[in-house]
Amino acid sequence: MASLDRVKVLVLGDSGVGKSSLVHLLCQNQVLGNPSWTVGCSVDVRVQDYKEGTPEEKTYYIELWDVGGSVGCASSIKSTRAVFYNSVNGIMLVHDLTNKKSSQNLYRWSLEALNKDSSPTGVIVSNGSDYDREQFAENPVPLLLIGTKFDQIPENKRNEVLTRTAFLSEDFNAEEINLDCTNPRYLAAGTSNAVKLSRFFDKVIEKRYFTRDPSQMTGFTDRKRFNFKSLHYD
Amino acid sequence: MSFLVDSVIMFTSQVLFFGFGWLFFMRQLFKDYEIRQYVVQVVFSITFAFSCTMFELIIFEILGAMSSTSRYFHWKLNLYVILLVLIFVVPFYIGYFVVSNIRLLQRQKLLFACMVWFTFMYFFWKLGDPFPILSPKHGILSIEQLISRVGVIGVTLMALLSGFGAVNCPYTYMSYFLRNVTDSDILALERRLLQTMDMIVSKKKRIAMTRRQMYQRGEDQNKQTGFWGMIKSVTSTPPGSENLSLIQQEVDALEELSRQLFLETVDLQSTKERIEYSTTFKGKYFNFLGYFFSIYCVWKIFMATINIVFDRVGKTDPVTRGIEITVNWLGIQFDVKFWSQHISFILVGIIIVTSIRGLLITLTKFFYAISSSKSSNVIVLVLAQIMGMYFVSSVLLMRMSMPLEYRSIVTEVLGELQFNFYHRWFDVIFLVSALSSILFLYLAHKQAPEKQMSL
């Protein structure tokens, strides 16, 4: 049971966008009835069949680490959050489709998670032109962009919002999914969303277990302070 | 003619204050949210603008700018508008937005908002009963009724904030109270946190796998058709489910532990950062200020106690007092009228600026701490309400800091309120707030090192 291989995926995003509901939906296949603030980090596990339907099918555990908080919070909270960013194999960036600022903050979130070795307050990026698109093009960690509260956008604004998110997904070199976390039908088997999701998980598993390039082992430089022989994630 | 000029001046300054409030809202308060309801921003800026205008009128009073009739007119106008906003507009919108957030009551939003407003008015009116704030000459629908109640709420708020601030300020500034935190403490806590997360993860894996197996077995079981199959599925309980609820309980306990560990780690990190900051030049400066403020705080508590115990209400303001002392004791002769005007202008100006700035900073911090994308509108409106009441009462209390000749306009405009009562009430609440903050900080301070020792 516990001998299955595992991968670690971070779920990042502003406070209140729906990360806990999303994680609950992905792992329990149920809608979360009473969402409340996440203090610290909450983890849930999804059992995923890699390459389902083919002879190479194998089951993996996908750990979804839902890290709470906002980008603009105190540096003490940021440095404490950073312990969760160890040896991450994939990142899901979640934003609220009804709130533009939450998608703008995703640049800062991704840099905070990917640049752990920079100063504790992280690299502050105020708009898209300050960061390097090439950084994300050759980024070894697969990203997935998820927009929530899709049902709350009125019909006439949908195109505008979808164009905006298309730009975002280009910037991050990532696929995008737009859904409503309180309605399981967006991720029903056979929908394009479900296909994109399993493609993302497959990519994460592949990067972790099937491309044994030593320079890209974990995708991050390990934190020099930690010497985790006893808690090695391999 | 001069009345027109004065009105233009007032109007321009009001527009300026409105713009400042607008910018503050956009840049500081709502910088992480998208502003969708512009009504909220407008209401907030209006409250801010009219409150600042009141302060401006006090300054004009001291400086003698503008003719006194137009000053009086603008005072009255401003007061009516601000009372209108604080008692009708803001509470109504608070009720409206609270009702909008509740899904059940979407249909009759306006009706429910009006109901909420009537409840607010009822309690607001009842507030006046236990306090001896009115003399019998006032009718039931006079402006003094409203101001007196607003004054009570505002003065309570001011005293609470002052009391807590007076105690908290030296506590945060002085490095004497900083606990000793080393890097290894933090590392040890972080290691515990990650170990706990690992345990949670492994238990969740068991739960997920067991549920998956049950689901697959359930599929097989469902294949048993017919009458007998149905009976069998009812009586046999799957063996995994009792196990599952046990593991789920363990997971809940571990999650609670992980949250506590996270918060403790954040606490230690912030203490470490404060220790680092205290070694810098700025930190040392604040440390020194902290000692100064702690003396000031002790003196204020002492004075409040004396005022209450000896039933004393100060008759003269600090400016005239100071001038009397210098003239009588130090024998320095100078033009009393001239200097008293300028000194009171500076003193009152400092008080106004620091109280506005202090309040805005406190409100911003409070807003960041408790708001979320759903409740941000409601919270901003509540803050606007607090701000309005705070500013109205500070005008009321400021009367005490001004020399007699300037007090008259405030007395005239606000009507015959029992000003002494408000000062006494301020002293009482200040004392209560300061003492309970001392108690609270003492307990919090004591509890933390004990937690550390148990690591």
Side-chain angles (χ1 to χ4, degrees):
Chain A
M1 276 201 291
S3 57
L4 284 187
D5 288 329
R6 24 90 99 227
V7 286
K8 174 171 165 180
V9 173
L10 277 185
V11 180
L12 298 178
D14 272 354
S15 172
V17 297
K19 302 185 291 294
S20 307
S21 308
L22 175 72
V23 167
H24 198 263
L25 185 63
L26 287 178
C27 300
Q28 321 269 0
N29 289 320
Q30 269 176 354
V31 174
L32 183 60
N34 53 336
S36 61
W37 274 321
T38 318
V39 175
C41 171
S42 94
V43 195
D44 215 341
V45 173
R46 176 183 164 106
V47 184
Q48 174 82 1
D49 290 318
Y50 174 60
K51 291 218 166 130
E52 195 168 2
T54 65
E56 297 133 10
E57 178 174 337
K58 192 169 175 218
T59 327
Y60 287 88
Y61 283 125
I62 304 202
E63 298 169 13
L64 293 169
W65 289 58
D66 159 20
V67 177
S70 58
V71 249
C73 59
S75 57
S76 53
I77 302 186
K78 283 205 186 138
S79 352
T80 318
R81 259 202 315 241
V83 304
F84 300 127
Y85 298 159
N86 267 330
S87 55
V88 163
N89 307 122
I91 303 184
M92 290 168 106
L93 295 167
V94 186
H95 66 112
D96 184 351
L97 290 167
T98 60
N99 182 356
K100 257 188 264 191
K101 295 249 173 84
S102 65
S103 24
Q104 285 164 8
N105 284 336
L106 283 181
Y107 296 105
R108 290 160 72 178
W109 274 115
S110 52
L111 286 173
E112 185 182 322
L114 295 175
N115 291 345
K116 273 183 319 150
D117 278 329
S118 55
S119 63
T121 49
V123 178
I124 306 296
V125 165
S126 54
N127 56 8
S129 59
D130 269 348
Y131 85 112
D132 195 0
R133 211 183 255 212
E134 275 81 63
Q135 243 184 340
F136 284 97
E138 57 188 38
N139 179 30
V141 178
L143 300 173
L144 180 67
L145 200 63
I146 301 190
T148 55
K149 306 195 188 164
F150 189 58
D151 57 321
Q152 287 179 26
I153 306 181
E155 284 288 341
N156 50 349
K157 294 261 178 78
R158 283 221 172 139
N159 276 334
E160 199 187 304
V161 169
L162 290 176
T163 343
R164 185 164 53 87
T165 54
F167 276 127
L168 259 185
S169 65
E170 253 185 59
D171 278 344
F172 285 114
N173 191 28
E175 296 248 22
E176 56 156 345
I177 293 181
N178 295 320
L179 47 64
D180 167 24
C181 297
T182 58
N183 191 345
R185 92 176 151 86
Y186 283 93
L187 290 175
T191 53
S192 65
N193 286 342
V195 169
K196 285 185 197 167
L197 195 66
S198 38
R199 259 216 305 258
F200 170 70
F201 286 139
D202 285 349
K203 197 166 154 196
V204 169
I205 294 174
E206 257 175 40
K207 277 256 157 87
R208 174 69 183 84
Y209 287 107
F210 295 107
T211 50
R212 286 264 161 179
D213 190 355
S215 66
Q216 287 188 354
M217 199 55 155
T218 53
F220 300 102
T221 48
D222 278 342
R223 298 195 73 171
K224 311 244 174 8
R225 297 195 314 186
F226 282 121
N227 200 358
F228 262 174
K229 290 284 161 57
S230 54
L231 298 177
H232 220 275
Y233 283 122
D234 261 327
Chain B
M1 186 56 214
S2 71
F3 180 72
L4 203 62
V5 171
D6 293 338
S7 304
V8 166
I9 298 176
M10 288 307 298
F11 185 67
T12 336
S13 56
Q14 273 172 353
V15 166
L16 275 173
F17 288 134
F18 182 85
F20 183 76
W22 186 273
L23 276 177
F24 174 75
F25 184 91
M26 211 166 50
R27 292 287 173 78
Q28 286 275 69
L29 283 184
F30 254 51
K31 66 176 166 113
D32 280 335
Y33 301 107
E34 209 175 305
I35 302 174
R36 261 168 292 145
Q37 306 272 18
Y38 279 99
V39 163
V40 176
Q41 194 170 7
V42 166
V43 168
F44 182 86
S45 310
I46 285 183
T47 317
F48 184 77
F50 280 101
S51 314
C52 288
T53 320
M54 272 199 305
F55 288 132
E56 191 191 9
L57 281 169
I58 292 188
I59 299 276
F60 281 171
E61 192 65 37
I62 297 180
L63 285 182
M66 304 198 327
S67 66
S68 73
T69 38
S70 50
R71 274 203 308 257
Y72 183 73
F73 169 77
H74 280 287
W75 260 115
K76 278 284 182 191
L77 176 70
N78 212 26
L79 199 64
Y80 284 134
V81 170
I82 239 220
L83 282 178
L84 188 78
V85 167
L86 280 183
I87 298 179
F88 293 101
V89 176
V90 178
F92 175 74
Y93 273 115
I94 292 180
Y96 180 76
F97 282 112
V98 164
V99 164
S100 318
N101 270 344
I102 306 176
R103 283 193 181 196
L104 291 173
L105 307 173
Q106 284 296 339
R107 293 294 166 121
Q108 308 277 21
K109 264 195 270 199
L110 275 177
L111 182 67
F112 282 109
C114 286
M115 274 170 55
V116 171
W117 185 78
F118 277 117
T119 329
F120 164 78
M121 276 309 285
Y122 175 72
F123 282 113
F124 184 72
W125 208 258
K126 275 286 177 202
L127 191 65
D129 291 343
F131 296 110
I133 44 184
L134 296 173
S135 46
K137 350 187 205 164
H138 295 138
I140 193 97
L141 274 182
S142 60
I143 201 109
E144 282 84 8
Q145 298 265 4
L146 298 174
I147 298 187
S148 53
R149 286 173 170 81
V150 169
V152 167
I153 301 179
V155 166
T156 317
L157 278 171
M158 276 184 79
L160 281 174
L161 283 178
S162 286
F164 181 69
V167 172
N168 194 38
C169 173
Y171 181 73
T172 25
Y173 282 179
M174 284 161 54
S175 49
Y176 175 75
F177 296 112
L178 283 180
R179 299 185 300 266
N180 210 4
V181 167
T182 58
D183 270 345
S184 56
D185 292 334
I186 299 183
L187 275 183
L189 250 192
E190 283 178 347
R191 199 168 297 153
R192 261 188 82 187
L193 177 61
L194 284 173
Q195 277 175 353
T196 318
M197 299 305 294
D198 265 349
M199 292 202 288
I200 295 178
V201 166
S202 59
K203 288 202 196 292
K204 287 215 165 164
K205 283 178 186 168
R206 278 178 64 188
I207 296 180
M209 191 45 103
T210 320
R211 288 201 14 223
R212 184 175 147 115
Q213 285 169 352
M214 273 170 55
Y215 180 71
Q216 284 169 345
R217 256 202 312 252
E219 291 266 284
D220 292 333
Q221 258 185 349
N222 282 342
K223 292 205 186 115
Q224 280 184 334
T225 50
F227 184 66
W228 201 237
M230 271 201 299
I231 299 284
K232 239 185 162 180
S233 62
V234 162
T235 53
S236 67
T237 49
S241 69
E242 299 110 21
N243 245 358
L244 269 191
S245 57
L246 208 66
I247 306 182
Q248 186 62 44
Q249 279 175 11
E250 290 172 22
V251 164
D252 290 337
L254 281 176
E255 283 185 329
E256 186 58 44
L257 177 65
S258 78
R259 280 192 278 268
Q260 278 178 22
L261 285 174
F262 180 79
L263 290 175
E264 274 179 45
T265 317
V266 168
D267 204 27
L268 284 190
Q269 283 274 11
S270 69
T271 314
K272 177 175 157 221
E273 279 166 17
R274 277 179 58 195
I275 293 178
E276 277 170 17
Y277 179 73
S278 72
T279 54
T280 65
F281 184 66
K282 252 181 126 179
K284 293 204 176 105
Y285 167 70
F286 276 112
N287 187 32
F288 171 72
L289 266 181
Y291 282 104
F292 180 71
F293 276 126
S294 58
I295 298 176
Y296 173 73
C297 165
V298 168
W299 182 76
K300 274 208 85 158
I301 294 182
F302 181 65
M303 288 308 290
T305 327
I306 297 264
N307 279 344
I308 296 174
V309 166
F310 290 115
D311 199 19
R312 194 182 81 114
V313 181
K315 287 289 176 195
T316 51
D317 57 292
V319 179
T320 321
R321 255 304 196 55
I323 291 182
E324 270 175 18
I325 293 177
T326 38
V327 167
N328 293 340
W329 290 52
L330 299 180
I332 304 178
Q333 297 288 340
F334 53 91
D335 189 359
V336 177
K337 262 192 90 81
F338 175 78
W339 281 109
S340 92
Q341 183 187 26
H342 280 75
I343 295 179
S344 42
F345 164 69
I346 293 176
L347 183 71
V348 167
I350 292 179
I351 294 179
I352 290 175
V353 167
T354 45
S355 70
I356 293 183
R357 183 178 168 274
L359 183 75
L360 287 182
I361 290 179
T362 317
L363 291 186
T364 318
K365 271 197 227 166
F366 199 63
F367 182 74
Y368 286 161
I370 64 173
S371 78
S372 71
S373 56
K374 269 188 117 181
S375 58
S376 53
N377 286 332
V378 172
I379 294 183
V380 159
L381 286 174
V382 168
L383 294 182
Q385 177 93 355
I386 292 178
M387 177 173 71
M389 290 189 167
Y390 186 95
F391 286 154
V392 167
S393 344
S394 45
V395 165
L396 221 149
L397 289 179
M398 206 182 292
R399 202 181 137 269
M400 217 46 180
S401 316
M402 299 194 288
L404 272 170
E405 55 262 35
Y406 308 122
R407 279 190 211 174
S408 55
I409 186 83
V410 178
T411 325
E412 228 179 295
V413 168
L414 293 182
E416 287 196 31
L417 298 177
Q418 307 273 43
F419 289 105
N420 293 341
F421 160 74
Y422 288 105
H423 288 282
R424 176 56 36 79
W425 183 245
F426 181 91
D427 282 331
V428 168
I429 300 286
F430 176 83
L431 201 63
V432 166
S433 162
L435 290 178
S436 36
S437 315
I438 291 180
L439 185 70
F440 172 72
L441 284 177
Y442 175 73
L443 286 176
H445 190 73
K446 262 203 98 187
Q447 194 205 25
E450 281 169 0
K451 260 199 264 185
Q452 264 189 293
M453 288 199 286
S454 67
L455 285 179

